Amino acid sequence: IYMGDWSSDVCSSDLAPVEIREKVVFAGDELPAALQELSGVAGVRESLIVSTCNRTELYCLSEGDEQPLVAWLSGWHDLTAHNLDIAGSLYRLHGTPAIQHVFSVACGLDSLVLGEPQILGQLKTAYRAAQDQRVTGPYLNRLMQTAFSVAKRVRTQTRIGANAVSVASAAVALARKIFEDFADHTALLVGAGETIALAARHLRAHGLRRMIVANRSLDRAQELAQEFDGFAISIEALATHLPEADIVISSTASPTPVITYDAVRAAIRARRRKPIFMVDIAVPRDIEPEVAKLEDIYLFTIDDLQGVVNENLATRREAAHDANDMLALEIAQFEQQLKTLDAVPTIRQLRDEAEIVRAHTDRKSTRLNSSHPYRS
């Protein structure tokens, strides 16, 4: 992003295929060196790098066009060695659109999942890294601090972050309607893929302490369970541990159900009719459909969750309109602040010149006074 001629060079999923995005990621350990080198690119006065799983962005205050930044990005990642040309996968923003883009990113309005909060934390991490390397200045500092403040207001004054918009988060949101407090309950997670891992994170974030992870690969189950201080079991041991579970979330690639009607009926008897909340995210289904007929069982399928997700997305889209109205006002105020920053060097120069004139006048006055014949 250039100040004065603000711009950003961006590589994201909107334009860039995954084979390019994966090549331009900045790993955490290389970020300090990259920031130092970027700050040395011709014309760059301030810089910041945002690199996530879905976007790589360079925010710069610079004099000149963006071509040196494109060349640097390509050179840093040695893209010519991979026969990759990123020119068609970039978009460049200048002036007000660039400011609007940064604010939108901070608020989650530019995310794959509308309103997701993770990007704000990633922006703050990127900003801290740039500050640590002393490559930001008054303009980027003001931009990022304002973006963080705007994002906080948008989240508190609109419903952009309300309600679950992923299958995993929707499953946990439904579970919270059954169990007011997760702290004293146990979750049985069947499978160890990305969806189950995400569900585990949501459960832990809401206070659930005990998890059991079941998977065909016990090693993978142990790996995921260890991340959340849980227990790992094999798929074959499901029926044995099912009575321990208050919450069951299942997502495997099994062609046939892994949780049977008989196993769940036995579990309910062993639990003395304490209810079990069950979510079957798999296609084909992991839980036999007849399980839904059992009393004290709350069974939801992927279709049930998708309906929740769609409703919540509609709510977030409505909130996005309110958020964009807020951003328009914030951008106008921010641009006024920038004019003040632009005036600072001129004011400082005038003060310096005034000081020189004052000092010169004082010296001249002193000489005149000392040379006057009637002065003692």
Side-chain angles (χ1 to χ4, degrees), residues 286-308:
D286 278 341
I287 302 173
E288 287 185 341
E290 292 77 15
V291 167
K293 298 176 183 178
L294 292 169
E295 292 185 21
D296 305 308
I297 293 293
Y298 299 88
L299 175 61
F300 295 86
T301 67
I302 184 70
D303 288 345
D304 298 320
L305 294 182
Q306 194 58 58
V308 173

Side-chain angles (χ1 to χ4, degrees), residues 100-122:
Q100 182 176 12
H101 172 77
V102 176
F103 287 4
S104 294
V105 169
C107 296
L109 296 173
D110 193 61
S111 296
L112 190 63
V113 177
L114 184 65
E116 62 92 3
Q118 287 80 11
I119 185 62
L120 181 58
Q122 292 165 333

Side-chain angles (χ1 to χ4, degrees), residues 62-221:
S62 180
E63 300 166 348
D65 62 30
E66 69 272 5
Q67 193 52 44
L69 291 177
V70 178
W72 177 82
L73 182 63
S74 181
W76 177 269
H77 292 290
D78 197 19
L79 297 183
T80 54
H82 300 284
N83 296 317
L84 290 175
D85 181 9
I86 62 171
S89 298
L90 295 175
Y91 57 89
R92 304 163 179 85
L93 301 173
H94 302 258
T96 299
I99 298 169
Q100 182 176 12
H101 172 77
V102 176
F103 287 4
S104 294
V105 169
C107 296
L109 296 173
D110 193 61
S111 296
L112 190 63
V113 177
L114 184 65
E116 62 92 3
Q118 287 80 11
I119 185 62
L120 181 58
Q122 292 165 333
L123 276 181
K124 289 181 177 180
T125 299
Y127 178 50
R128 282 195 298 270
Q131 283 189 305
D132 289 344
Q133 297 302 311
R134 301 179 183 277
V135 294
T136 63
Y139 290 96
L140 278 182
N141 288 340
R142 181 70 63 88
L143 174 70
M144 301 310 293
Q145 289 162 8
T146 305
F148 301 152
S149 176
V150 169
K152 182 178 179 180
R153 284 199 294 278
V154 165
R155 291 196 173 277
T156 56
Q157 296 177 24
T158 74
R159 292 178 57 79
I160 190 66
N163 305 323
V165 292
S166 73
V167 168
S169 58
V172 175
L174 282 175
R176 292 185 68 197
K177 294 183 178 180
I178 307 299
F179 304 104
E180 186 175 339
D181 185 3
F182 281 170
D184 297 323
H185 296 289
T186 297
L188 172 59
L189 306 177
V190 186
E194 183 178 343
T195 299
I196 289 297
L198 185 57
R201 294 187 186 100
H202 284 297
L203 288 166
R204 176 54 59 88
H206 288 293
L208 191 133
R209 299 172 184 170
R210 187 169 187 266
M211 296 185 201
I212 303 171
V213 180
N215 195 50
R216 294 196 185 281
S217 168
L218 188 56
D219 289 342
R220 176 65 185 125

